Amino acid sequence: MSGSSKGRGAGPRDKSLFHDKIMPTLSEAIIDLSFLLHREYAEAAALKLVGDHFQLQKRQRMAVLRSSSDPHALDHLYTKHPETLKGQTLCIDGFNLIILIEAALGGGLIMRGVDGCLRDLSSVHGTYRMVGQTGQSIELIGQHLAAQQVHEVHWYLDSPVSNSGRLAQKIRDKAEQNGWNWYAHTENHVDKIISETPHISISTDKIILQQCQRWWNLGAQIVEQSIPEAWIIDLTHRDFHPPTKIK
């Protein structure tokens, strides 16, 4: 990779697709989609049904999907949350975390879902390029973990994704420069590793959240505390619960 691309900013139509007046509609769509997923509807079919009903555009549908959750799983998720990170070992879903921080720093759209996680609309699809905010993102993550006196951090990056090795080396270099006890690995089955670790998992991947033993909502913590300029839309619903039927 010869250089870094500009950044992970907002899509050209995001301001019009996610204006204030559409937020109640998106929140209602999330309630309906969560209900269908809880009833074990196929994800693609459920999203099409809900998206067509609310006449949502492609990126709006993606936002609804990424922000939805089975409400009955939420209480279980937060039983996995330890009281502190002090002295703990973390296993980080590398691309998942770093792309979120890059997007938040770059002005990209960030969504708060019903599970309290922050997610972006970026996607890797086998390719990754460092952006102008990559180094700053690693530094910001490191500062947060150092302040919380984390004992050891293992970063896991999907080896089939392009430039995973270069990003792993950049993470190692930053760790060495700052004296952080970090290790960066490129692996074929990152989701499985992070789902099965006895240590604290750092990810917003829904499969990992369901299967992991312990979890910390690190991405949301960093964005909320250290990136005040981040564009966050709140897609939670104060009365969120599974409806008895779809409207």
Side-chain angles (χ1 to χ4, degrees), residues 84-93 97 101 137-155 171 175 178-183 200-202 216-219 221-222 225-226:
T84 179
L85 292 184
K86 183 177 181 180
Q88 302 279 7
T89 295
L90 309 187
C91 292
I92 295 179
D93 184 354
L97 178 62
I101 306 303
S137 298
I138 298 170
E139 291 277 359
L140 201 53
I141 294 165
Q143 290 164 11
H144 268 259
L145 297 183
Q148 295 181 78
Q149 302 179 52
V150 169
H151 169 62
E152 186 173 286
V153 176
H154 291 267
W155 287 78
I171 290 169
N178 290 279
W180 298 328
N181 189 21
W182 285 10
Y183 303 87
I200 297 175
S201 301
I202 305 295
W216 189 273
N217 197 1
L218 182 63
Q221 183 182 64
I222 293 173
Q225 294 181 5
S226 298

mmCIF file of all heavy atoms in Angstrom, residues 84-93 97 101 137-155 171 175 178-183 200-202 216-219 221-222 225-226:
data_model
loop_
_atom_site.group_PDB
_atom_site.id
_atom_site.type_symbol
_atom_site.label_atom_id
_atom_site.label_comp_id
_atom_site.label_asym_id
_atom_site.label_seq_id
_atom_site.Cartn_x
_atom_site.Cartn_y
_atom_site.Cartn_z
ATOM 1 N N THR A 84 -14.693 -3.408 35.687
ATOM 2 C CA THR A 84 -13.534 -2.591 35.348
ATOM 3 C C THR A 84 -12.648 -3.318 34.343
ATOM 4 O O THR A 84 -12.700 -4.548 34.228
ATOM 5 C CB THR A 84 -12.715 -2.267 36.612
ATOM 6 O OG1 THR A 84 -11.568 -1.482 36.256
ATOM 7 C CG2 THR A 84 -12.249 -3.539 37.295
ATOM 8 N N LEU A 85 -11.831 -2.547 33.630
ATOM 9 C CA LEU A 85 -10.828 -3.133 32.741
ATOM 10 C C LEU A 85 -9.460 -3.225 33.406
ATOM 11 O O LEU A 85 -8.527 -3.789 32.831
ATOM 12 C CB LEU A 85 -10.703 -2.296 31.459
ATOM 13 C CG LEU A 85 -11.887 -2.298 30.497
ATOM 14 C CD1 LEU A 85 -11.553 -1.487 29.246
ATOM 15 C CD2 LEU A 85 -12.283 -3.717 30.108
ATOM 16 N N LYS A 86 -9.330 -2.694 34.594
ATOM 17 C CA LYS A 86 -8.036 -2.674 35.276
ATOM 18 C C LYS A 86 -7.504 -4.090 35.469
ATOM 19 O O LYS A 86 -8.191 -4.967 35.992
ATOM 20 C CB LYS A 86 -8.167 -1.985 36.633
ATOM 21 C CG LYS A 86 -6.846 -1.852 37.373
ATOM 22 C CD LYS A 86 -7.023 -1.094 38.688
ATOM 23 C CE LYS A 86 -5.694 -0.952 39.413
ATOM 24 N NZ LYS A 86 -5.853 -0.209 40.694
ATOM 25 N N GLY A 87 -6.273 -4.310 34.986
ATOM 26 C CA GLY A 87 -5.622 -5.599 35.140
ATOM 27 C C GLY A 87 -6.125 -6.688 34.212
ATOM 28 O O GLY A 87 -5.700 -7.841 34.322
ATOM 29 N N GLN A 88 -7.006 -6.338 33.271
ATOM 30 C CA GLN A 88 -7.622 -7.334 32.403
ATOM 31 C C GLN A 88 -6.845 -7.521 31.099
ATOM 32 O O GLN A 88 -6.065 -6.661 30.682
ATOM 33 C CB GLN A 88 -9.055 -6.917 32.056
ATOM 34 C CG GLN A 88 -9.959 -6.703 33.252
ATOM 35 C CD GLN A 88 -10.519 -8.005 33.800
ATOM 36 O OE1 GLN A 88 -10.133 -9.092 33.376
ATOM 37 N NE2 GLN A 88 -11.442 -7.901 34.743
ATOM 38 N N THR A 89 -7.082 -8.656 30.455
ATOM 39 C CA THR A 89 -6.572 -8.928 29.114
ATOM 40 C C THR A 89 -7.727 -8.796 28.132
ATOM 41 O O THR A 89 -8.806 -9.355 28.356
ATOM 42 C CB THR A 89 -5.971 -10.338 29.028
ATOM 43 O OG1 THR A 89 -4.818 -10.408 29.882
ATOM 44 C CG2 THR A 89 -5.547 -10.672 27.597
ATOM 45 N N LEU A 90 -7.499 -8.048 27.049
ATOM 46 C CA LEU A 90 -8.540 -7.809 26.055
ATOM 47 C C LEU A 90 -8.196 -8.498 24.745
ATOM 48 O O LEU A 90 -7.029 -8.582 24.359
ATOM 49 C CB LEU A 90 -8.705 -6.312 25.776
ATOM 50 C CG LEU A 90 -8.880 -5.359 26.953
ATOM 51 C CD1 LEU A 90 -9.202 -3.960 26.442
ATOM 52 C CD2 LEU A 90 -9.944 -5.845 27.909
ATOM 53 N N CYS A 91 -9.227 -8.959 24.045
ATOM 54 C CA CYS A 91 -9.088 -9.486 22.690
ATOM 55 C C CYS A 91 -9.953 -8.620 21.779
ATOM 56 O O CYS A 91 -11.185 -8.624 21.900
ATOM 57 C CB CYS A 91 -9.523 -10.945 22.622
ATOM 58 S SG CYS A 91 -8.412 -12.063 23.512
ATOM 59 N N ILE A 92 -9.309 -7.889 20.881
ATOM 60 C CA ILE A 92 -9.987 -6.876 20.079
ATOM 61 C C ILE A 92 -10.247 -7.377 18.666
ATOM 62 O O ILE A 92 -9.339 -7.878 17.993
ATOM 63 C CB ILE A 92 -9.157 -5.581 20.026
ATOM 64 C CG1 ILE A 92 -9.046 -4.965 21.424
ATOM 65 C CG2 ILE A 92 -9.760 -4.579 19.052
ATOM 66 C CD1 ILE A 92 -8.226 -3.682 21.472
ATOM 67 N N ASP A 93 -11.485 -7.230 18.233
ATOM 68 C CA ASP A 93 -11.880 -7.439 16.838
ATOM 69 C C ASP A 93 -11.369 -6.219 16.073
ATOM 70 O O ASP A 93 -12.027 -5.187 16.004
ATOM 71 C CB ASP A 93 -13.404 -7.552 16.773
ATOM 72 C CG ASP A 93 -13.931 -7.870 15.388
ATOM 73 O OD1 ASP A 93 -13.135 -7.892 14.427
ATOM 74 O OD2 ASP A 93 -15.156 -8.080 15.264
ATOM 75 N N LEU A 97 -13.281 -2.435 15.462
ATOM 76 C CA LEU A 97 -13.063 -1.281 16.332
ATOM 77 C C LEU A 97 -12.409 -0.124 15.599
ATOM 78 O O LEU A 97 -12.859 1.023 15.697
ATOM 79 C CB LEU A 97 -12.206 -1.682 17.533
ATOM 80 C CG LEU A 97 -11.854 -0.544 18.502
ATOM 81 C CD1 LEU A 97 -13.112 0.053 19.129
ATOM 82 C CD2 LEU A 97 -10.894 -1.033 19.583
ATOM 83 N N ILE A 101 -13.717 3.959 14.889
ATOM 84 C CA ILE A 101 -13.038 5.167 15.362
ATOM 85 C C ILE A 101 -12.612 6.036 14.179
ATOM 86 O O ILE A 101 -12.738 7.274 14.228
ATOM 87 C CB ILE A 101 -11.827 4.803 16.244
ATOM 88 C CG1 ILE A 101 -12.245 3.866 17.383
ATOM 89 C CG2 ILE A 101 -11.185 6.066 16.808
ATOM 90 C CD1 ILE A 101 -13.335 4.407 18.279
ATOM 91 N N SER A 137 -6.511 7.039 15.355
ATOM 92 C CA SER A 137 -7.445 6.081 15.955
ATOM 93 C C SER A 137 -6.717 5.118 16.886
ATOM 94 O O SER A 137 -7.174 4.851 18.010
ATOM 95 C CB SER A 137 -8.168 5.294 14.859
ATOM 96 O OG SER A 137 -8.944 6.146 14.047
ATOM 97 N N ILE A 138 -5.585 4.594 16.435
ATOM 98 C CA ILE A 138 -4.806 3.673 17.269
ATOM 99 C C ILE A 138 -4.328 4.380 18.534
ATOM 100 O O ILE A 138 -4.392 3.829 19.640
ATOM 101 C CB ILE A 138 -3.619 3.106 16.473
ATOM 102 C CG1 ILE A 138 -4.123 2.303 15.265
ATOM 103 C CG2 ILE A 138 -2.744 2.221 17.365
ATOM 104 C CD1 ILE A 138 -3.031 1.908 14.287
ATOM 105 N N GLU A 139 -3.851 5.611 18.382
ATOM 106 C CA GLU A 139 -3.393 6.383 19.539
ATOM 107 C C GLU A 139 -4.525 6.602 20.541
ATOM 108 O O GLU A 139 -4.333 6.473 21.757
ATOM 109 C CB GLU A 139 -2.848 7.740 19.075
ATOM 110 C CG GLU A 139 -1.554 7.673 18.289
ATOM 111 C CD GLU A 139 -0.332 7.598 19.186
ATOM 112 O OE1 GLU A 139 -0.498 7.618 20.426
ATOM 113 O OE2 GLU A 139 0.788 7.520 18.648
ATOM 114 N N LEU A 140 -5.703 6.938 20.037
ATOM 115 C CA LEU A 140 -6.846 7.211 20.909
ATOM 116 C C LEU A 140 -7.255 5.956 21.678
ATOM 117 O O LEU A 140 -7.536 6.005 22.882
ATOM 118 C CB LEU A 140 -8.010 7.720 20.058
ATOM 119 C CG LEU A 140 -9.121 8.518 20.744
ATOM 120 C CD1 LEU A 140 -8.556 9.689 21.529
ATOM 121 C CD2 LEU A 140 -10.103 9.019 19.688
ATOM 122 N N ILE A 141 -7.279 4.831 20.981
ATOM 123 C CA ILE A 141 -7.597 3.561 21.642
ATOM 124 C C ILE A 141 -6.558 3.263 22.721
ATOM 125 O O ILE A 141 -6.888 2.884 23.848
ATOM 126 C CB ILE A 141 -7.658 2.423 20.602
ATOM 127 C CG1 ILE A 141 -8.840 2.638 19.646
ATOM 128 C CG2 ILE A 141 -7.771 1.062 21.297
ATOM 129 C CD1 ILE A 141 -8.778 1.784 18.384
ATOM 130 N N GLY A 142 -5.292 3.455 22.366
ATOM 131 C CA GLY A 142 -4.224 3.192 23.322
ATOM 132 C C GLY A 142 -4.299 4.074 24.555
ATOM 133 O O GLY A 142 -4.079 3.614 25.685
ATOM 134 N N GLN A 143 -4.617 5.340 24.365
ATOM 135 C CA GLN A 143 -4.729 6.262 25.498
ATOM 136 C C GLN A 143 -5.844 5.832 26.445
ATOM 137 O O GLN A 143 -5.688 5.880 27.673
ATOM 138 C CB GLN A 143 -4.971 7.677 24.983
ATOM 139 C CG GLN A 143 -3.770 8.291 24.282
ATOM 140 C CD GLN A 143 -4.123 9.511 23.453
ATOM 141 O OE1 GLN A 143 -5.229 10.039 23.547
ATOM 142 N NE2 GLN A 143 -3.186 9.963 22.633
ATOM 143 N N HIS A 144 -6.965 5.397 25.886
ATOM 144 C CA HIS A 144 -8.078 4.949 26.722
ATOM 145 C C HIS A 144 -7.713 3.697 27.506
ATOM 146 O O HIS A 144 -8.003 3.595 28.705
ATOM 147 C CB HIS A 144 -9.315 4.684 25.856
ATOM 148 C CG HIS A 144 -10.213 5.864 25.739
ATOM 149 N ND1 HIS A 144 -11.374 6.012 26.460
ATOM 150 C CD2 HIS A 144 -10.096 6.983 24.994
ATOM 151 C CE1 HIS A 144 -11.933 7.163 26.161
ATOM 152 N NE2 HIS A 144 -11.186 7.769 25.269
ATOM 153 N N LEU A 145 -7.078 2.745 26.847
ATOM 154 C CA LEU A 145 -6.739 1.497 27.529
ATOM 155 C C LEU A 145 -5.646 1.710 28.572
ATOM 156 O O LEU A 145 -5.675 1.095 29.647
ATOM 157 C CB LEU A 145 -6.322 0.448 26.502
ATOM 158 C CG LEU A 145 -7.416 0.055 25.497
ATOM 159 C CD1 LEU A 145 -6.916 -1.039 24.564
ATOM 160 C CD2 LEU A 145 -8.686 -0.391 26.212
ATOM 161 N N ALA A 146 -4.699 2.594 28.279
ATOM 162 C CA ALA A 146 -3.653 2.893 29.261
ATOM 163 C C ALA A 146 -4.254 3.572 30.491
ATOM 164 O O ALA A 146 -3.882 3.262 31.635
ATOM 165 C CB ALA A 146 -2.586 3.785 28.631
ATOM 166 N N ALA A 147 -5.195 4.490 30.265
ATOM 167 C CA ALA A 147 -5.835 5.194 31.384
ATOM 168 C C ALA A 147 -6.619 4.236 32.274
ATOM 169 O O ALA A 147 -6.755 4.465 33.486
ATOM 170 C CB ALA A 147 -6.748 6.292 30.853
ATOM 171 N N GLN A 148 -7.128 3.150 31.674
ATOM 172 C CA GLN A 148 -7.898 2.171 32.443
ATOM 173 C C GLN A 148 -7.033 1.030 32.976
ATOM 174 O O GLN A 148 -7.549 0.068 33.537
ATOM 175 C CB GLN A 148 -9.045 1.632 31.582
ATOM 176 C CG GLN A 148 -10.054 2.728 31.240
ATOM 177 C CD GLN A 148 -11.218 2.220 30.416
ATOM 178 O OE1 GLN A 148 -12.141 1.604 30.937
ATOM 179 N NE2 GLN A 148 -11.183 2.473 29.113
ATOM 180 N N GLN A 149 -5.719 1.162 32.777
ATOM 181 C CA GLN A 149 -4.736 0.223 33.332
ATOM 182 C C GLN A 149 -4.985 -1.221 32.897
ATOM 183 O O GLN A 149 -4.927 -2.157 33.698
ATOM 184 C CB GLN A 149 -4.704 0.326 34.863
ATOM 185 C CG GLN A 149 -4.367 1.723 35.366
ATOM 186 C CD GLN A 149 -4.356 1.808 36.879
ATOM 187 O OE1 GLN A 149 -3.705 1.011 37.552
ATOM 188 N NE2 GLN A 149 -5.081 2.779 37.424
ATOM 189 N N VAL A 150 -5.276 -1.364 31.602
ATOM 190 C CA VAL A 150 -5.428 -2.706 31.034
ATOM 191 C C VAL A 150 -4.081 -3.421 31.077
ATOM 192 O O VAL A 150 -3.032 -2.825 30.816
ATOM 193 C CB VAL A 150 -5.948 -2.601 29.584
ATOM 194 C CG1 VAL A 150 -5.863 -3.940 28.874
ATOM 195 C CG2 VAL A 150 -7.379 -2.083 29.587
ATOM 196 N N HIS A 151 -4.102 -4.700 31.398
ATOM 197 C CA HIS A 151 -2.856 -5.459 31.530
ATOM 198 C C HIS A 151 -2.250 -5.817 30.177
ATOM 199 O O HIS A 151 -1.049 -5.615 29.944
ATOM 200 C CB HIS A 151 -3.114 -6.736 32.335
ATOM 201 C CG HIS A 151 -1.968 -7.709 32.310
ATOM 202 N ND1 HIS A 151 -0.716 -7.401 32.810
ATOM 203 C CD2 HIS A 151 -1.877 -8.986 31.815
ATOM 204 C CE1 HIS A 151 0.091 -8.435 32.646
ATOM 205 N NE2 HIS A 151 -0.582 -9.404 32.043
ATOM 206 N N GLU A 152 -3.071 -6.362 29.268
ATOM 207 C CA GLU A 152 -2.548 -6.888 28.002
ATOM 208 C C GLU A 152 -3.644 -6.819 26.943
ATOM 209 O O GLU A 152 -4.823 -7.012 27.241
ATOM 210 C CB GLU A 152 -2.097 -8.339 28.204
ATOM 211 C CG GLU A 152 -1.411 -8.982 27.019
ATOM 212 C CD GLU A 152 -0.863 -10.353 27.395
ATOM 213 O OE1 GLU A 152 0.165 -10.407 28.107
ATOM 214 O OE2 GLU A 152 -1.482 -11.369 27.008
ATOM 215 N N VAL A 153 -3.228 -6.538 25.706
ATOM 216 C CA VAL A 153 -4.191 -6.413 24.609
ATOM 217 C C VAL A 153 -3.733 -7.259 23.426
ATOM 218 O O VAL A 153 -2.577 -7.172 23.002
ATOM 219 C CB VAL A 153 -4.338 -4.944 24.152
ATOM 220 C CG1 VAL A 153 -5.277 -4.849 22.951
ATOM 221 C CG2 VAL A 153 -4.853 -4.075 25.295
ATOM 222 N N HIS A 154 -4.656 -8.063 22.906
ATOM 223 C CA HIS A 154 -4.410 -8.837 21.690
ATOM 224 C C HIS A 154 -5.357 -8.339 20.602
ATOM 225 O O HIS A 154 -6.578 -8.422 20.739
ATOM 226 C CB HIS A 154 -4.638 -10.331 21.944
ATOM 227 C CG HIS A 154 -3.607 -10.944 22.835
ATOM 228 N ND1 HIS A 154 -2.480 -11.566 22.345
ATOM 229 C CD2 HIS A 154 -3.523 -10.990 24.192
ATOM 230 C CE1 HIS A 154 -1.744 -11.991 23.360
ATOM 231 N NE2 HIS A 154 -2.351 -11.651 24.488
ATOM 232 N N TRP A 155 -4.773 -7.798 19.549
ATOM 233 C CA TRP A 155 -5.532 -7.371 18.378
ATOM 234 C C TRP A 155 -5.598 -8.538 17.395
ATOM 235 O O TRP A 155 -4.578 -9.171 17.104
ATOM 236 C CB TRP A 155 -4.833 -6.208 17.688
ATOM 237 C CG TRP A 155 -4.896 -4.888 18.386
ATOM 238 C CD1 TRP A 155 -4.163 -4.486 19.463
ATOM 239 C CD2 TRP A 155 -5.719 -3.777 18.023
ATOM 240 N NE1 TRP A 155 -4.480 -3.193 19.797
ATOM 241 C CE2 TRP A 155 -5.430 -2.729 18.926
ATOM 242 C CE3 TRP A 155 -6.665 -3.563 17.015
ATOM 243 C CZ2 TRP A 155 -6.055 -1.491 18.857
ATOM 244 C CZ3 TRP A 155 -7.288 -2.327 16.945
ATOM 245 C CH2 TRP A 155 -6.991 -1.310 17.854
ATOM 246 N N ILE A 171 0.047 -1.216 14.245
ATOM 247 C CA ILE A 171 -0.393 -1.356 15.636
ATOM 248 C C ILE A 171 0.794 -1.725 16.527
ATOM 249 O O ILE A 171 0.977 -1.159 17.614
ATOM 250 C CB ILE A 171 -1.512 -2.410 15.731
ATOM 251 C CG1 ILE A 171 -2.790 -1.875 15.073
ATOM 252 C CG2 ILE A 171 -1.770 -2.802 17.183
ATOM 253 C CD1 ILE A 171 -3.875 -2.920 14.884
ATOM 254 N N ALA A 175 2.423 0.525 19.569
ATOM 255 C CA ALA A 175 2.548 -0.053 20.903
ATOM 256 C C ALA A 175 3.979 0.069 21.419
ATOM 257 O O ALA A 175 4.212 0.421 22.587
ATOM 258 C CB ALA A 175 2.115 -1.516 20.873
ATOM 259 N N ASN A 178 4.847 3.627 22.476
ATOM 260 C CA ASN A 178 4.172 4.109 23.684
ATOM 261 C C ASN A 178 4.334 3.200 24.898
ATOM 262 O O ASN A 178 3.831 3.523 25.975
ATOM 263 C CB ASN A 178 2.681 4.289 23.393
ATOM 264 C CG ASN A 178 2.394 5.447 22.455
ATOM 265 O OD1 ASN A 178 2.350 6.598 22.875
ATOM 266 N ND2 ASN A 178 2.223 5.141 21.166
ATOM 267 N N GLY A 179 5.014 2.069 24.718
ATOM 268 C CA GLY A 179 5.201 1.155 25.835
ATOM 269 C C GLY A 179 3.950 0.394 26.228
ATOM 270 O O GLY A 179 3.785 0.022 27.393
ATOM 271 N N TRP A 180 3.060 0.163 25.251
ATOM 272 C CA TRP A 180 1.828 -0.582 25.526
ATOM 273 C C TRP A 180 2.081 -2.080 25.370
ATOM 274 O O TRP A 180 2.776 -2.504 24.444
ATOM 275 C CB TRP A 180 0.715 -0.161 24.572
ATOM 276 C CG TRP A 180 0.330 1.290 24.691
ATOM 277 C CD1 TRP A 180 0.353 2.067 25.811
ATOM 278 C CD2 TRP A 180 -0.135 2.140 23.632
ATOM 279 N NE1 TRP A 180 -0.073 3.339 25.533
ATOM 280 C CE2 TRP A 180 -0.383 3.424 24.202
ATOM 281 C CE3 TRP A 180 -0.375 1.953 22.268
ATOM 282 C CZ2 TRP A 180 -0.851 4.492 23.449
ATOM 283 C CZ3 TRP A 180 -0.846 3.018 21.514
ATOM 284 C CH2 TRP A 180 -1.079 4.271 22.106
ATOM 285 N N ASN A 181 1.498 -2.867 26.236
ATOM 286 C CA ASN A 181 1.651 -4.322 26.204
ATOM 287 C C ASN A 181 0.628 -4.911 25.229
ATOM 288 O O ASN A 181 -0.381 -5.483 25.629
ATOM 289 C CB ASN A 181 1.461 -4.897 27.614
ATOM 290 C CG ASN A 181 1.829 -6.364 27.689
ATOM 291 O OD1 ASN A 181 2.569 -6.881 26.848
ATOM 292 N ND2 ASN A 181 1.305 -7.050 28.693
ATOM 293 N N TRP A 182 0.920 -4.740 23.948
ATOM 294 C CA TRP A 182 -0.003 -5.124 22.880
ATOM 295 C C TRP A 182 0.629 -6.181 21.979
ATOM 296 O O TRP A 182 1.843 -6.196 21.772
ATOM 297 C CB TRP A 182 -0.350 -3.926 21.999
ATOM 298 C CG TRP A 182 -1.298 -2.926 22.582
ATOM 299 C CD1 TRP A 182 -1.749 -2.860 23.864
ATOM 300 C CD2 TRP A 182 -1.887 -1.827 21.881
ATOM 301 N NE1 TRP A 182 -2.597 -1.789 24.005
ATOM 302 C CE2 TRP A 182 -2.697 -1.137 22.810
ATOM 303 C CE3 TRP A 182 -1.804 -1.360 20.571
ATOM 304 C CZ2 TRP A 182 -3.429 -0.002 22.455
ATOM 305 C CZ3 TRP A 182 -2.526 -0.234 20.215
ATOM 306 C CH2 TRP A 182 -3.335 0.438 21.158
ATOM 307 N N TYR A 183 -0.236 -7.008 21.407
ATOM 308 C CA TYR A 183 0.159 -7.989 20.395
ATOM 309 C C TYR A 183 -0.858 -7.901 19.256
ATOM 310 O O TYR A 183 -2.063 -7.799 19.507
ATOM 311 C CB TYR A 183 0.173 -9.401 20.978
ATOM 312 C CG TYR A 183 1.087 -9.538 22.173
ATOM 313 C CD1 TYR A 183 0.620 -9.251 23.461
ATOM 314 C CD2 TYR A 183 2.413 -9.929 22.022
ATOM 315 C CE1 TYR A 183 1.453 -9.348 24.565
ATOM 316 C CE2 TYR A 183 3.258 -10.037 23.126
ATOM 317 C CZ TYR A 183 2.771 -9.742 24.386
ATOM 318 O OH TYR A 183 3.600 -9.840 25.475
ATOM 319 N N ILE A 200 -11.680 -10.645 27.874
ATOM 320 C CA ILE A 200 -12.741 -9.701 27.515
ATOM 321 C C ILE A 200 -12.724 -9.446 26.016
ATOM 322 O O ILE A 200 -11.698 -9.054 25.451
ATOM 323 C CB ILE A 200 -12.577 -8.386 28.290
ATOM 324 C CG1 ILE A 200 -12.735 -8.652 29.793
ATOM 325 C CG2 ILE A 200 -13.607 -7.354 27.824
ATOM 326 C CD1 ILE A 200 -12.465 -7.447 30.660
ATOM 327 N N SER A 201 -13.853 -9.665 25.376
ATOM 328 C CA SER A 201 -13.994 -9.451 23.939
ATOM 329 C C SER A 201 -14.359 -8.000 23.663
ATOM 330 O O SER A 201 -15.200 -7.416 24.353
ATOM 331 C CB SER A 201 -15.077 -10.369 23.369
ATOM 332 O OG SER A 201 -14.767 -11.729 23.594
ATOM 333 N N ILE A 202 -13.741 -7.442 22.625
ATOM 334 C CA ILE A 202 -14.051 -6.082 22.182
ATOM 335 C C ILE A 202 -14.548 -6.172 20.747
ATOM 336 O O ILE A 202 -13.775 -6.404 19.813
ATOM 337 C CB ILE A 202 -12.818 -5.160 22.253
ATOM 338 C CG1 ILE A 202 -12.210 -5.155 23.658
ATOM 339 C CG2 ILE A 202 -13.188 -3.753 21.789
ATOM 340 C CD1 ILE A 202 -13.096 -4.581 24.730
ATOM 341 N N TRP A 216 -16.852 -5.777 26.599
ATOM 342 C CA TRP A 216 -16.801 -4.372 27.011
ATOM 343 C C TRP A 216 -17.141 -3.507 25.804
ATOM 344 O O TRP A 216 -16.632 -3.738 24.708
ATOM 345 C CB TRP A 216 -15.407 -4.024 27.539
ATOM 346 C CG TRP A 216 -15.316 -2.670 28.187
ATOM 347 C CD1 TRP A 216 -15.067 -1.478 27.575
ATOM 348 C CD2 TRP A 216 -15.468 -2.373 29.581
ATOM 349 N NE1 TRP A 216 -15.056 -0.455 28.492
ATOM 350 C CE2 TRP A 216 -15.302 -0.974 29.740
ATOM 351 C CE3 TRP A 216 -15.732 -3.149 30.714
ATOM 352 C CZ2 TRP A 216 -15.382 -0.342 30.976
ATOM 353 C CZ3 TRP A 216 -15.816 -2.517 31.945
ATOM 354 C CH2 TRP A 216 -15.642 -1.129 32.075
ATOM 355 N N ASN A 217 -17.979 -2.497 26.013
ATOM 356 C CA ASN A 217 -18.438 -1.626 24.926
ATOM 357 C C ASN A 217 -17.424 -0.500 24.702
ATOM 358 O O ASN A 217 -17.719 0.687 24.887
ATOM 359 C CB ASN A 217 -19.819 -1.065 25.279
ATOM 360 C CG ASN A 217 -20.552 -0.505 24.070
ATOM 361 O OD1 ASN A 217 -20.045 -0.536 22.952
ATOM 362 N ND2 ASN A 217 -21.748 0.002 24.302
ATOM 363 N N LEU A 218 -16.224 -0.881 24.276
ATOM 364 C CA LEU A 218 -15.111 0.064 24.201
ATOM 365 C C LEU A 218 -15.313 1.130 23.134
ATOM 366 O O LEU A 218 -15.008 2.307 23.353
ATOM 367 C CB LEU A 218 -13.805 -0.692 23.943
ATOM 368 C CG LEU A 218 -12.536 0.166 23.884
ATOM 369 C CD1 LEU A 218 -12.274 0.843 25.227
ATOM 370 C CD2 LEU A 218 -11.335 -0.690 23.473
ATOM 371 N N GLY A 219 -15.800 0.740 21.959
ATOM 372 C CA GLY A 219 -15.968 1.710 20.884
ATOM 373 C C GLY A 219 -16.865 2.861 21.285
ATOM 374 O O GLY A 219 -16.544 4.038 21.050
ATOM 375 N N GLN A 221 -17.524 3.884 24.290
ATOM 376 C CA GLN A 221 -16.853 4.648 25.342
ATOM 377 C C GLN A 221 -15.870 5.655 24.753
ATOM 378 O O GLN A 221 -15.847 6.829 25.144
ATOM 379 C CB GLN A 221 -16.128 3.687 26.283
ATOM 380 C CG GLN A 221 -15.444 4.353 27.461
ATOM 381 C CD GLN A 221 -14.705 3.342 28.319
ATOM 382 O OE1 GLN A 221 -13.757 2.707 27.868
ATOM 383 N NE2 GLN A 221 -15.156 3.177 29.547
ATOM 384 N N ILE A 222 -15.079 5.217 23.788
ATOM 385 C CA ILE A 222 -14.076 6.101 23.192
ATOM 386 C C ILE A 222 -14.736 7.234 22.415
ATOM 387 O O ILE A 222 -14.378 8.409 22.566
ATOM 388 C CB ILE A 222 -13.131 5.298 22.280
ATOM 389 C CG1 ILE A 222 -12.280 4.341 23.120
ATOM 390 C CG2 ILE A 222 -12.229 6.239 21.474
ATOM 391 C CD1 ILE A 222 -11.434 3.388 22.298
ATOM 392 N N GLN A 225 -16.584 9.758 24.781
ATOM 393 C CA GLN A 225 -15.738 10.517 25.696
ATOM 394 C C GLN A 225 -14.697 11.378 24.996
ATOM 395 O O GLN A 225 -14.293 12.413 25.537
ATOM 396 C CB GLN A 225 -15.036 9.561 26.669
ATOM 397 C CG GLN A 225 -15.975 8.852 27.626
ATOM 398 C CD GLN A 225 -15.247 7.936 28.602
ATOM 399 O OE1 GLN A 225 -14.015 7.888 28.639
ATOM 400 N NE2 GLN A 225 -16.005 7.192 29.388
ATOM 401 N N SER A 226 -14.269 10.969 23.797
ATOM 402 C CA SER A 226 -13.106 11.631 23.197
ATOM 403 C C SER A 226 -13.327 12.205 21.806
ATOM 404 O O SER A 226 -12.418 12.837 21.267
ATOM 405 C CB SER A 226 -11.931 10.642 23.141
ATOM 406 O OG SER A 226 -11.554 10.244 24.439
#
